[in-house]
Amino acid sequence: MNNGNLDFEKPIMELERRILELESKTQERHTDLLALNQMRETLQNLTAEIFSKLSAWERVQVARHPERPQTIDYLGMVFDDFLELHGDRCFKDDPAIKAGLARLGERTVVVIGQHKGKDTRARLAANYGMPNPEGYRKALRVMRFAEKMRYPVISLIDTPGAFPGIGAEERGQFSAIASNLMEMARLRTPLIGVILAEGGSGGALGVAVVDRLLMLENAWFSVISPEGCAAILFKSNEKEKIAVAAEALKLTAVDLIGLNIVDEVISEPLGGAHRDPQQMAEMLKRALVKHMKELETVETDELLARRYNKWRSIGTLSQDTLVAGDNRGRQTGEDARREDTEGG
Amino acid sequence: MAWNLRFRRKRDLPDGLWLKCLGCGQMVFAKQVEERNQVCPECNFHFRISAGERIRITVDEGTFEELYEDLEPVDYLDFTDRKSYRQRIDEEQAKTGLKDACIIGTASIGGHKTVFGVTDSNFMMGSMGAVVGEKVTLAAEEAVSRRLPLVLFSGSGGGARMQEGVISLSQMAKTAAAIARLHDARVPYISILTNPTMGGVAASWAALGDILIAEPKALIGFAGPRTIKLTLGIDLPDDFQSAEFLLSHGFMDMIVGRQNMKEELTRLLALLAPATHE
Ligand SMILES: [Zn+2]
């Protein structure tokens, strides 16, 4: 793990290096082992200390860590027998969004996963995880199959944003994303989304209109990247301004729980998901299975009513308008709690 | 009615003033532009107009009744950049006389009753925060409960409003969900995209009409042209993301000039009328 270490990871790496050094020299002598144990404990504490007070911008960097596990890692570790399906049946196959059938525990599910790629070549091939319209259309046609078969949909979200390109605009990026938002809102099967790392604006939301939105501890989700925000609002690309923008956008998992956007934060292994991908995958799987089981007990009309309320209740501005429209009487305890904290 | 006082005032254009057209670059007689509903007599360029002006030139006189007029922006994130969001809102409100970038009401067009809405690109570039999202959602819900066609004019260079962060972003999902219910209820929705309609507004409710109409030469798309240029490092085609470009790529039903808009909407609403009286 020597690639792409972040600045605030350096003390951790340094201590790790010293531990390794001592491990290689140690001759099973009592004093060496004692020293080693002490250093290991210090390492734990140091990592916990550093990661307990990461700034928003530092978390964004953890989310972008080159060794952070991605969709393709989780496809292997969380699911059994992932069978990939290709193409949007209109134009082409977008490598920035993977789709297919898989098993999650006992259940057959449909998986949608935004895909970034690990090395330079793979990243280039996957367009750095920035989907084109055909990616969103592929996701939608596979989700329609899920609806037909009543398979739950698991959406793995990890994108800096939808691709800003000439072809993307020619093929109606705006239209593809809008259609996904609308169709996901009324898809008659359970939908669970997880923001794995980057939840970049409409490009992420285009596969995130779900019943339960989960988020890994160090992931971010925002209307714009910190860099984009700093460029527009501060006319600046300096690190300090980007950090200020990251803070202001309230894009961390903890912020988004507070704003009732995210339903559950999944803790990461000490030092971030990249420090122990296997453990991360196990925790993710546990959360997905739990939510899937809960949603499967909900009757479909009720499921859709709750999904509508989940998104409908964000930014309702005042108590007076909270129960407007035909949602009256349909609110669950959860929704009522959501409302208590809104509008202020 | 309050809205009359607020919106009737036309752009202050002293008589005899010449105006440089943003479309053709020619000097044109301001009064003539105004008489043509802010359209250039030389090149048919459509100047941006306020929500009030839009209502005035589109709906039957005296039929507009505003709804949800009390909704005001909330600073959900306690957001501050070079100035606080609160201060920005105060300034924009003072500048435009609007509470936020959207006005909703009921109105008749050529005698056909509708739920009618406009976003105003003069208010924080017409960006969508919770007020715009909530009002569009309420409009869709209102159209369903009254079984009236929904007619929305969008104009937003800003897309989702940065200062309300993920709350703004979520308005895309919220409005799209409300439009889904409207379609399920078999209520027609006409969306008119004016210059500019970009980002999160284009990629949510504005794109989801049964009928999509664009004003001539309007800039419509997801990513801003500057972003694309910066990302790709190449020059963009001249008509890129224009209404005409979208029509030819199959994303608009028609392009309608401002002069004919009311007439065309009236024709459409007449054709749609039976479906709403079931
Ligand atoms: Zn002109």
Side-chain angles (χ1 to χ4, degrees):
Chain A
M1 288 231 195
N2 295 320
N3 310 332
N5 291 335
L6 308 171
D7 282 346
F8 52 86
E9 282 186 309
K10 285 195 176 129
I12 300 171
M13 298 303 154
E14 175 57 24
L15 191 53
E16 273 192 328
R17 193 187 55 75
R18 278 167 45 207
I19 291 172
L20 279 173
E21 218 174 74
L22 191 58
E23 273 173 342
S24 67
K25 278 194 241 156
T26 189
Q27 304 295 324
E28 305 272 327
R29 275 184 319 182
H30 185 64
T31 46
D32 281 353
L33 291 176
L34 219 70
L36 256 177
N37 278 338
Q38 220 159 50
M39 282 169 81
R40 287 191 188 118
E41 204 185 309
T42 312
L43 176 68
Q44 288 269 319
N45 293 338
L46 179 72
T47 312
E49 161 88 11
I50 289 173
F51 274 77
S52 67
K53 44 182 196 199
L54 290 184
S55 69
W57 173 232
E58 285 168 335
R59 279 193 204 281
V60 171
Q61 290 171 273
V62 175
R64 293 172 179 168
H65 197 291
E67 296 194 5
R68 188 172 176 84
Q70 302 181 359
T71 286
I72 43 166
D73 303 302
Y74 294 117
L75 287 176
M77 293 188 291
V78 171
F79 302 91
D80 295 314
D81 205 20
F82 174 70
L83 187 131
E84 188 168 2
L85 303 171
H86 293 277
D88 69 340
R89 301 289 191 268
C90 286
F91 179 68
K92 70 186 279 199
D93 186 49
D94 186 349
I97 295 186
K98 291 195 172 291
L101 290 162
R103 236 174 248 288
L104 177 61
E106 306 292 298
R107 294 268 184 275
T108 299
V109 298
V110 155
V111 188
I112 308 294
Q114 290 176 322
H115 170 59
K116 275 183 177 162
K118 291 266 170 174
D119 52 37
T120 309
R121 234 176 92 186
R123 279 169 200 270
L124 199 63
N127 202 25
Y128 299 87
M130 294 183 285
N132 274 285
E134 48 274 19
Y136 295 103
R137 292 183 181 124
K138 170 167 71 175
L140 183 56
R141 76 120 180 136
V142 177
M143 286 192 281
R144 286 214 163 101
F145 176 45
E147 178 180 50
K148 169 181 162 178
M149 302 305 292
R150 293 292 185 274
Y151 296 148
V153 174
I154 311 292
S155 179
L156 306 175
I157 298 147
D158 184 10
T159 180
F163 185 54
I166 291 180
E169 296 294 320
E170 284 173 338
R171 298 190 295 280
Q173 189 75 283
F174 78 105
S175 174
I177 291 173
S179 297
N180 277 26
L181 303 181
M182 181 169 80
E183 298 306 337
M184 287 183 84
R186 58 180 173 179
L187 208 71
R188 298 183 68 80
T189 199
L191 311 173
I192 303 168
V194 193
I195 304 166
L196 297 175
E198 298 196 272
S201 196
L205 192 67
V207 287
V209 186
V210 292
D211 298 302
R212 298 279 166 87
L213 186 57
L214 321 179
M215 187 164 178
L216 302 198
E217 188 184 347
N218 293 310
W220 66 270
F221 183 36
S222 172
V223 68
I224 188 167
S225 70
E227 289 91 339
C229 181
I232 295 171
L233 293 181
F234 301 115
K235 316 260 178 258
S236 166
N237 57 8
E238 290 162 35
K239 281 262 148 55
E240 297 75 47
K241 291 292 184 206
I242 294 171
V244 172
E247 206 69 51
L249 285 166
K250 303 269 194 298
L251 45 64
T252 69
V254 172
D255 291 329
L256 295 169
I257 279 274
L259 291 166
N260 284 313
I261 305 287
V262 165
D263 299 290
E264 185 182 335
V265 178
I266 304 170
S267 300
E268 295 190 15
L270 193 58
H274 60 288
R275 305 277 293 174
D276 194 343
Q278 192 61 48
Q279 196 198 339
M280 184 72 255
E282 279 161 27
M283 291 196 281
L284 174 56
K285 181 172 182 175
R286 217 172 304 142
L288 288 174
V289 169
K290 180 189 84 179
H291 286 285
M292 185 171 69
K293 283 193 172 147
E294 282 174 20
L295 292 175
E296 277 181 339
T297 64
V298 183
E299 184 267 327
T300 305
D301 284 337
E302 176 63 18
L303 183 77
L304 264 66
R306 287 190 200 173
R307 189 185 304 154
Y308 189 79
N309 270 331
K310 171 181 166 59
W311 295 97
R312 176 69 185 83
S313 65
I314 300 170
T316 40
L317 299 158
S318 75
Q319 291 296 319
D320 295 344
T321 60
L322 285 173
V323 289
D326 58 351
N327 305 319
R328 237 177 284 256
R330 267 192 174 166
Q331 280 155 350
T332 60
E334 199 183 330
D335 293 315
R337 200 194 59 227
R338 200 187 292 283
E339 288 167 11
D340 286 342
T341 58
E342 283 225 345
Chain B
M1 261 187 278
W3 73 270
N4 264 334
L5 293 173
R6 264 199 285 152
F7 305 144
R8 267 303 169 88
R9 182 172 47 92
K10 291 183 183 178
R11 277 256 275 295
D12 298 322
L13 292 174
D15 278 355
L17 208 74
W18 294 80
L19 205 68
K20 189 172 182 180
C21 172
L22 298 168
C24 60
Q26 289 197 56
M27 297 305 288
V28 286
F29 201 35
K31 189 117 182 117
Q32 224 180 343
V33 173
E34 189 179 322
E35 277 164 10
R36 295 167 52 89
N37 294 335
Q38 305 296 335
V39 174
C40 173
E42 299 298 324
C43 74
N44 199 32
F45 178 80
H46 285 51
F47 287 83
R48 289 184 203 180
I49 58 173
S50 69
E53 182 74 356
R54 177 72 66 185
I55 294 167
R56 193 184 66 75
I57 65 173
T58 311
V59 311
D60 300 346
E61 204 179 333
T63 64
F64 184 79
E65 288 177 43
E66 189 170 358
L67 294 167
Y68 329 118
E69 54 194 311
D70 296 330
L71 292 185
E72 288 212 52
V74 169
D75 185 11
Y76 285 99
L77 306 190
D78 198 8
F79 193 95
T80 298
D81 50 274
R82 282 167 303 173
K83 50 179 113 160
S84 73
Y85 181 39
R86 263 282 131 223
Q87 192 189 339
R88 243 177 237 283
I89 292 168
D90 289 344
E91 288 171 11
E92 294 288 319
Q93 287 182 336
K95 186 184 87 186
T96 59
L98 302 168
K99 290 195 170 131
D100 205 305
C102 181
I103 295 173
I104 299 289
T106 54
S108 293
I109 300 172
H112 301 282
K113 196 139 196 231
T114 67
V115 173
F116 185 88
V118 196
T119 59
D120 192 323
S121 53
N122 296 311
F123 191 103
M124 289 189 80
M125 293 164 72
S127 61
M128 173 163 67
V131 172
V132 174
E134 181 68 14
K135 281 189 162 186
V136 168
T137 301
L138 287 167
E141 290 171 344
E142 193 77 33
V144 171
S145 68
R146 297 200 198 191
R147 300 212 62 81
L148 290 175
L150 178 64
V151 178
L152 296 179
F153 281 79
S154 54
S156 170
R161 187 177 297 169
M162 226 179 306
Q163 289 84 351
E164 290 181 32
V166 80
I167 302 286
S168 308
L169 183 65
S170 302
Q171 302 309 304
M172 293 171 66
K174 174 165 119 182
T175 54
I179 301 295
R181 284 199 163 184
L182 172 135
H183 290 315
D184 287 343
R186 304 179 59 232
V187 169
Y189 166 31
I190 303 169
S191 173
I192 302 103
L193 297 89
T194 73
N195 187 38
T197 299
M198 302 296 292
V201 169
S204 63
W205 52 275
L208 297 171
D210 297 294
I211 312 284
L212 299 183
I213 301 174
E215 278 199 332
K217 294 177 188 161
L219 184 75
I220 299 163
F222 183 67
R226 251 185 314 168
T227 307
I228 298 175
K229 226 173 134 168
L230 255 153
T231 309
L232 305 179
I234 53 168
D235 282 332
L236 302 173
D238 267 352
D239 71 335
F240 188 60
Q241 297 180 317
S242 68
E244 294 73 16
F245 171 96
L246 283 143
L247 182 73
S248 74
H249 283 89
F251 290 101
M252 290 294 135
D253 286 294
M254 55 186 109
I255 295 174
V256 176
R258 201 172 283 161
Q259 312 286 83
N260 307 320
M261 188 63 79
K262 184 173 182 178
E263 193 188 321
E264 286 297 290
L265 287 177
T266 303
R267 272 180 67 200
L268 242 172
L269 290 165
L271 288 165
L272 294 170
T276 63
H277 291 290
E278 241 174 313

